[in-house]
Amino acid sequence: FDYSDWNDFDTCTSSCGLDSCPAPAFNEALASFSAPALAHVGGHLWVDNNDAMVSFSSPKLADVDGVWVWGNEVLSSLALPSVTTLKFLGLGSNHAMHSFDLSALATVTGKVEITQLPSLTEIGFPSLTAVGYLELVGADMVLTPNLAALTHVNGTLHISSNDSLEALSLPALTEVSGDVHMHHNSSLSSISWP
């Protein structure tokens, strides 16, 4: 599906005559989603249970409250490189996902939940400085997550059940306001934290 003519979901809703724009969810035949001009979503972006979806891209999307990408069995890539701030981020049960681009994401006021992504080899948030709650559970990444800019977790830091995770580096993290849970990471042999 291509939303190339719309630059925000407000246009979508007025064009469709709906109270809200339909999220790409539960579309069994939808193979890709491309919205190259979309810059604004007035609420949350839900990409949920699209059985055939292989790719999702919205390179100019910068203004969205939250992102939930869940249960897309063959989704291999997600590109949201312009998003800088979210209320929440959920990536899970996307078993073919090998990459995602959220390279500009700097702040998540609520929860970041990354779980059940067995094809993902790296988690990269190079610009992320603050989160409300960070959960990396069963993501099974092999490489050290790129959390080099992370300075504050304003709630709980939970990293567990990542069997292939060998090293964890949090070089800028100076504050965790809640609990720290690190368990069942059977290959984890090194944690670097100031």
Side-chain angles (χ1 to χ4, degrees):
F1 195 83
D2 187 348
Y3 282 105
S4 59
D5 295 337
W6 297 328
N7 61 6
D8 65 40
F9 268 18
D10 295 333
T11 303
C12 171
T13 57
S14 64
S15 299
C16 299
L18 301 172
D19 292 335
S20 64
C21 196
F26 296 96
N27 299 290
E28 294 173 5
L30 183 62
S32 69
F33 184 99
S34 174
L38 181 66
H40 168 80
V41 174
H44 307 302
L45 176 63
W46 301 92
V47 182
D48 195 8
N49 289 292
N50 297 289
D51 294 341
M53 184 179 286
V54 175
S55 65
F56 185 99
S57 176
S58 187
K60 292 185 180 178
L61 181 62
D63 183 20
V64 59
D65 283 349
V67 173
W68 183 261
V69 181
W70 213 270
N72 303 285
E73 291 293 324
V74 297
L75 181 66
S76 64
S77 66
L78 171 72
L80 298 169
S82 299
V83 173
T84 58
T85 302
L86 292 171
K87 291 181 180 174
F88 67 87
L89 171 64
L91 300 176
S93 297
N94 302 300
H95 295 192
M97 183 177 283
H98 61 79
S99 68
F100 64 84
D101 182 357
L102 286 157
S103 54
L105 185 61
T107 304
V108 180
T109 57
K111 185 175 186 176
V112 172
E113 181 176 356
I114 310 292
T115 186
Q116 299 175 9
L117 303 172
S119 297
L120 193 65
T121 57
E122 182 175 15
I123 292 179
F125 292 108
S127 303
L128 188 64
T129 60
V131 300
Y133 182 118
L134 179 59
E135 180 174 299
L136 305 175
V137 176
D140 212 22
M141 60 258 169
V142 175
L143 302 174
T144 301
N146 183 352
L147 298 166
L150 185 64
T151 59
H152 299 288
V153 177
N154 297 318
T156 297
L157 174 63
H158 181 184
I159 300 173
S160 68
S161 303
N162 299 293
D163 293 335
S164 298
L165 179 63
E166 296 177 357
L168 180 62
S169 178
L170 302 163
L173 187 61
T174 57
E175 181 179 343
V176 177
S177 298
D179 296 331
V180 175
H181 299 277
M182 289 191 197
H183 55 87
H184 293 96
N185 300 295
S186 59
S187 299
L188 185 61
S189 61
S190 170
I191 298 175
S192 174
W193 190 346

